Amino acid sequence: MSTYRAPNVPDKPSLEGLEHKWDAVWREQGTYRFDRSRSRAEIYSIDTPPPTVSGSLHVGHVFSYTHTDLIARYQRMRGREVFYPMGWDDNGLPTERRVQNYFGVRCDPSLPYDPGFTPPHAGEATSVKAADQVPVSRRNFVELCERLTAEDEKQFGALWRRLGLSVDWTQHYQTIDTVARTASQRAFLRNLARGDAYSAEAPGLWDVTFQTAVAQAELEARDYPGHFHRVAFHRPDGGVVHIETTRPELIPACVALVAHPDDERYQHLFGTTVTTPVFGVEVPVLAHPAAEPDKGAGIAMCCTFGDLTDVQWWRELDLPTRSVIGRDGRLLRETPPWLAHEPAATAYADLAGRTTFSAREAMVAHLRESGDLDGEPQPTQRKANFFEKGDKPLEIVTSRQWYIRNGGRDADLRAELLARGAELQFHPDFMRVRYENWVNGLNGDWLISRQRFFGVPIPVWYRLDDEGQPVHEDPLVPDEADLPVDPTSDVPRGYTEDQRDVPGGFTADPDVMDTWATSSLSPQIAGGWERDPDLFERVFPMDLRPQGQDIIRTWLFSTVVRAHLEHGSLPWRHAAISGWILDPDRKKMSKSKGNVVTPMGLLEQHGSDGVRYWAASARLGTDAAFEEGQMKIGRRLAIKVLNVSKFALSMGAVDPDAEVTEPLDRATLAALADVIEEATAAFEAYDHTRALQVTETFFWTFCDDYVELVKDRAYGGHGEQAAASARAALARALDVLLRLLAPFIPFATEEVWSWWRQGSVHRASWPDPAGLRAAAGDADPRLLGVVGTALAGVRKAKSEAKVSQRTEVERVVVAGPAGDMALLEGAASDLRAAGRVADLRLVADGDALAVREATLAPPR
């Protein structure tokens, strides 16, 4: 260990302004810049979550991103070169909605591009009704998306720097830039070539508000008010079969009645037919094990399509398709062919073009008139599927969409993906079951196409036959060298622009990829896949994926799927799962609920170190309350680091190689060596909270007990050799504590480090207990606790007497086990000086150490 330079300690250390000061230094000096010359074994790479750029960050982001930064800082100090980029998730529906509100526009793909377009608003235009938003071309709309996300990214970056995230700002990516589009389209084309991607005309979940297909992972089951209607279907023999339904408007789409094969009430009907009420369409009565005998009448109508069970029955029972709900959420305006006969056509004409709600009322009226409604509708609460960002129940409509195989229909692939989950190290481990439950519960492949505008285009075209109909079975694809492409403006090889959308020519696939289809490639995008092979070889598979628990089913799983299909491996070795931030009502904070707290004010009020302390106080996977009290404690800790460091460094240059001779000094170093081992083990187990607890506990003991005990000796009160021992121990302990605390409170520790050390504490090595143990020799680390307990007893006596702690004590008797008394003898002189005790007596008596007598000196 080399000699430290003479300390340069400010007269009045303060936390104020440290964030701006050190952010500027770190940026100038490239403190966190990734050194790609290191080998893969020496690198720790992080697949940083790209926050959605659609407004502002909230305190939940600060919470989880701090957890990631703790790991990054620890790994860097352990000697690993940390690849820690920042990404921005700026495509998809949230950005589109923000742009619509911000600029007062809406996208109309049929319009031509206007190079001189100026939006009607340049701020939140929330008062503008959707019908009053100005229509613009897709290209104009995308340009506005890019313009607004660029501004949001600047604000996000400023907040992350204020928080002290140690990311390498030269390594960043977007989910919509050229790099991301190229990687996303390349992966898609390879999926397509291998047969992992395919398009199909099939029933799927559809949001009528946003006019887009929705994947299973984006669903939310919510309570939705409705009514049970008991409805009669007619048997050939004149009898009836009653079913109960909450959606009578789907009776014109009915294709069967279904009951459980073991239900004795209906076994005699299996293989027969019934006719639908009002419309008189003949449908079969069939058996299926998914029917629920104890639900309603025990027999249900299968319609195409009311819910996902209908889809299952339709597929497995090979039923016809008779859809009546269109993409706009209204019943088809044209009478379907199976209802073309009378009186069905007349009845349907009354429903045509209506919303599902209005059609339901009309259908109930028809059922009353025909006598097929048994009793009155009964109110109920039913579970309905919603798009997580929507406010109306989803419908199931038939459309052509793109899918990526994910094990939902392939048992072998499902088993492979479950095996990948078993390979992955989850922190905490109990989060693994969420992955497994999701994979086991999949009922279809991953739908990746969206009917939106701001996203990565599906990179395919279709030949048009002589009648102008697209040939979907044989798509035209670009060469990888031509990526990225936008099929709506680019032309496939062998064609010219004038052949677009004409018979015998070609047409573009109009859809974009789901945002998860791009962000699921974040390790590849950030790591330079195919773009920078040298970098990719050094960082992939990555070491860590940090993320929230609620997107295990989306981001984590989909990233595993893409890496498994493309690389035959996991995308990373560890997954660190953060909990949620809860509001005072113990509800999850989220933008959609409107209960979030924005962080900048907190960072300014409590300091970034204080806010980081609050975040670090919660373990991975554990929900935490938003609590400013914890931030105040963190600020107090950071202030104490400054103040105690000022004392420890106030005695001029220190020779850290000076021999540590005094028992208390050596015992303190021995105890600190134990702390290093515990904190290191905790960090290695991804338990940053435990690392903080053991370090902070020792730090306060160090400040409240050790520093007070050795003050007099450090200033020379017991001779020069004893003083040199105290100063060397103070310097060694401070050096270690700054490094142990550096991941948690980076600004205060960097400030103190600069007073007496070269370089950055965040590039210093993580402390090694071996050096402290060598200095401590055979010292018993329990001594610090023993003498601290005795000192606390003396302080208590003074407090109870309501006198100053500087009051002298004539006589103190400390009693306890013989072993403790023998230890305490080695620090008796420090205890007398700290407690201002004239006569200290140690008595080996009793099971617990205690101050039995404290006689205060009479006031002068």
Side-chain angles (χ1 to χ4, degrees), residues 688-736:
H688 57 257
T689 304
R690 176 61 182 162
L692 174 59
Q693 287 173 343
V694 297
T695 302
E696 183 187 11
T697 298
F698 180 88
F699 174 78
W700 286 113
T701 299
F702 173 79
C703 296
D704 297 341
D705 294 342
Y706 177 74
V707 169
E708 294 302 318
L709 285 162
V710 303
K711 268 184 179 179
D712 184 68
R713 178 156 55 85
Y715 281 124
H718 299 188
E720 185 53 37
Q721 180 176 335
S725 176
R727 293 171 186 172
L730 281 167
R732 287 174 184 257
L734 180 61
D735 174 87
V736 168

Side-chain angles (χ1 to χ4, degrees), residues 649-670:
L649 300 174
S650 64
M651 289 160 281
V654 176
D655 180 5
D657 294 327
E659 186 178 2
V660 179
T661 58
E662 300 304 302
L664 179 57
D665 301 336
R666 301 175 75 185
T668 298
L669 297 184

Side-chain angles (χ1 to χ4, degrees), residues 503-804:
F506 72 95
T507 191
D509 190 302
D511 293 344
V512 299
M513 296 185 199
D514 168 27
T515 186
W516 295 114
T518 296
S519 56
S520 62
L521 295 166
S522 54
Q524 290 88 343
I525 294 169
W529 174 51
E530 297 289 343
R531 170 176 54 89
D532 188 342
D534 177 75
L535 175 63
F536 193 68
E537 184 179 343
R538 296 176 193 275
V539 301
F540 187 90
M542 293 190 171
D543 292 278
L544 177 66
R545 154 62 69 81
Q547 66 163 69
Q549 57 184 302
D550 52 331
I551 51 174
I552 290 175
R553 73 190 193 281
T554 49
W555 194 33
L556 188 147
F557 174 64
S558 60
T559 311
V560 170
V561 170
R562 303 305 288 278
H564 177 74
L565 295 176
E566 183 63 38
H567 308 287
S569 72
L570 279 172
W572 0 257
R573 298 173 177 84
H574 300 268
I577 311 297
S578 290
W580 287 331
I581 295 301
L582 307 178
D583 67 12
D585 296 325
R586 306 297 294 176
K587 295 180 180 178
K588 174 194 173 186
M589 279 192 180
S590 68
K591 290 181 182 179
S592 62
K593 294 180 180 179
N595 62 347
V596 299
V597 176
T598 54
M600 188 57 81
L602 298 171
L603 296 172
E604 293 171 346
Q605 179 181 357
H606 303 292
S608 297
D609 283 348
V611 175
R612 289 173 63 98
Y613 172 90
W614 158 74
S617 299
R619 282 187 168 85
L620 289 174
T622 302
D623 296 343
F626 171 69
E627 188 176 353
E628 290 193 64
Q630 281 290 96
M631 300 177 193
K632 294 176 181 177
I633 294 173
R635 181 175 178 83
R636 176 171 168 254
L637 172 65
I639 292 172
K640 190 66 175 181
V641 166
L642 298 182
N643 291 335
V644 76
S645 299
K646 179 181 179 182
F647 162 74
L649 300 174
S650 64
M651 289 160 281
V654 176
D655 180 5
D657 294 327
E659 186 178 2
V660 179
T661 58
E662 300 304 302
L664 179 57
D665 301 336
R666 301 175 75 185
T668 298
L669 297 184
L672 184 52
D674 291 343
V675 171
I676 294 172
E677 290 185 348
E678 287 189 64
T680 303
F683 261 124
E684 290 295 323
Y686 290 81
D687 188 353
H688 57 257
T689 304
R690 176 61 182 162
L692 174 59
Q693 287 173 343
V694 297
T695 302
E696 183 187 11
T697 298
F698 180 88
F699 174 78
W700 286 113
T701 299
F702 173 79
C703 296
D704 297 341
D705 294 342
Y706 177 74
V707 169
E708 294 302 318
L709 285 162
V710 303
K711 268 184 179 179
D712 184 68
R713 178 156 55 85
Y715 281 124
H718 299 188
E720 185 53 37
Q721 180 176 335
S725 176
R727 293 171 186 172
L730 281 167
R732 287 174 184 257
L734 180 61
D735 174 87
V736 168
L737 284 168
L738 289 175
R739 286 183 282 162
L740 289 175
L741 289 169
F744 306 101
I745 49 173
F747 294 104
T749 52
E750 186 76 305
E751 173 69 9
V752 173
W753 193 262
S754 73
W755 297 348
W756 65 319
R757 301 299 302 272
Q758 299 293 331
S760 170
V761 67
H762 304 298
R763 281 291 184 174
S765 63
W766 186 252
D768 184 343
L772 293 184
R773 296 205 186 282
D778 59 357
D780 189 335
R782 292 192 308 116
L783 173 56
L784 179 58
V786 168
V787 69
T789 300
L791 179 60
V794 175
R795 289 169 172 165
K796 181 180 178 182
K798 293 181 181 181
S799 296
E800 290 176 345
K802 297 182 180 179
V803 299
S804 167

Side-chain angles (χ1 to χ4, degrees), residues 14-27 32 73 158-165 600-612 635 638 745-748 750-751:
S14 171
L15 296 178
E16 306 310 319
L18 292 187
E19 291 91 349
H20 294 297
K21 171 184 176 179
W22 288 111
D23 174 57
V25 172
W26 294 335
R27 293 170 72 174
Y32 308 120
R73 289 183 178 277
L159 188 141
W160 286 148
R161 289 188 171 96
R162 177 66 183 251
L163 182 63
L165 295 190
M600 188 57 81
L602 298 171
L603 296 172
E604 293 171 346
Q605 179 181 357
H606 303 292
S608 297
D609 283 348
V611 175
R612 289 173 63 98
R635 181 175 178 83
I745 49 173
F747 294 104
E750 186 76 305
E751 173 69 9

Side-chain angles (χ1 to χ4, degrees), residues 397-523:
V397 301
T398 299
S399 60
R400 178 165 292 278
Q401 304 289 343
W402 282 97
Y403 300 85
I404 290 180
R405 302 186 193 280
N406 66 354
R409 296 182 178 179
D410 184 331
D412 290 340
L413 179 56
R414 185 195 302 263
E416 292 170 7
L417 293 171
L418 286 169
R420 290 292 181 209
E423 292 176 43
L424 182 60
Q425 299 298 307
F426 280 86
H427 307 284
D429 187 69
F430 67 78
M431 287 292 177
R432 182 187 311 279
V433 71
R434 300 196 182 193
Y435 175 93
E436 294 171 345
N437 288 345
W438 175 252
V439 179
N440 282 317
L442 288 169
N443 55 32
D445 286 327
W446 177 16
L447 188 154
I448 66 161
S449 50
R450 294 291 181 273
Q451 291 65 55
R452 304 304 305 170
F453 313 110
F454 190 51
V456 177
I458 303 285
V460 300
W461 301 266
Y462 306 103
R463 296 181 181 86
L464 296 178
D465 62 21
D466 292 340
E467 297 181 353
Q469 296 300 310
V471 182
H472 291 109
E473 296 74 20
D474 186 22
L476 303 169
V477 298
D479 292 340
E480 288 190 10
D482 296 333
L483 301 178
V485 300
D486 183 350
T488 64
S489 57
D490 295 323
V491 177
R493 292 195 176 190
Y495 290 83
T496 57
E497 180 61 34
D498 59 4
Q499 293 178 282
R500 185 184 296 273
D501 297 328
V502 298
F506 72 95
T507 191
D509 190 302
D511 293 344
V512 299
M513 296 185 199
D514 168 27
T515 186
W516 295 114
T518 296
S519 56
S520 62
L521 295 166
S522 54

